[in-house]
Amino acid sequence: MGVSSRDMMGAMIEGEEDPKTRKGNKYLRAALIEVAHSVCRSDNYLGAQYRRIAARKGRHRAAVAVAHSIMGIVYYLLTRKEDYKDLGSHYFEQRQQEAIVRQALRKLENLSFQAALSASQAS
């Protein structure tokens, strides 16, 4: 049984997720989505996540995704009794840059080259 969604005509498309969220407390969901919309312009991890997803999938889906992340963060903090440490607004760009470097090294190694990289000092 595959996961599916509906196309423009209402027919199910095989292999895609249903865009509806699961059942839960509607008041908590509304509050979390409102919080997610409020962090859209902030200079932190959640703001960067919102902008990144909103560019691809739209503002509402981005808000739902950020609300889900907020719930995950809250659960993590409450169960482990730790303080929140923000990853920063540049987290996604740094991960993407690291992935590009790893891919380039792998391509060079596949072509029988040996490469050693060192980070240049920015002035």
Side-chain angles (χ1 to χ4, degrees):
M1 183 170 152
V3 181
S4 59
S5 66
R6 299 182 186 277
D7 66 3
M8 297 295 256
M9 302 297 287
M12 297 298 281
I13 299 172
E14 192 63 32
E16 293 193 12
E17 294 182 23
D18 192 8
K20 293 182 182 178
T21 56
R22 294 185 217 161
K23 292 181 182 177
N25 188 324
K26 62 183 179 180
Y27 302 109
L28 177 62
R29 180 180 187 269
L32 285 171
I33 289 176
E34 187 171 340
V35 169
H37 279 296
S38 72
V39 300
C40 72
R41 292 189 180 148
S42 63
D43 189 31
N44 58 22
Y45 170 78
L46 293 171
Q49 181 187 22
Y50 180 94
R51 289 185 295 276
R52 195 168 159 261
I53 297 171
R56 290 180 291 125
K57 298 198 174 202
R59 292 180 2 210
H60 185 68
R61 282 195 180 187
V64 172
V66 171
H68 186 262
S69 294
I70 292 170
M71 280 300 297
I73 290 168
V74 168
Y75 177 80
Y76 181 89
L77 295 176
L78 290 176
T79 56
R80 290 176 173 82
K81 296 184 173 122
E82 294 181 7
D83 293 333
Y84 176 67
K85 296 175 198 92
D86 188 48
L87 296 173
S89 62
H90 300 292
Y91 176 75
F92 294 110
E93 288 132 15
Q94 290 170 348
R95 284 196 54 187
Q96 183 180 18
Q97 184 179 15
E98 291 168 5
I100 290 170
V101 169
R102 281 193 311 269
Q103 289 170 0
L105 277 175
R106 209 173 314 127
K107 285 180 182 179
L108 284 172
E109 289 170 358
N110 288 340
L111 294 171
S112 301
F113 287 98
Q114 289 185 353
L117 296 178
S118 61
S120 63
Q121 298 294 328
S123 51

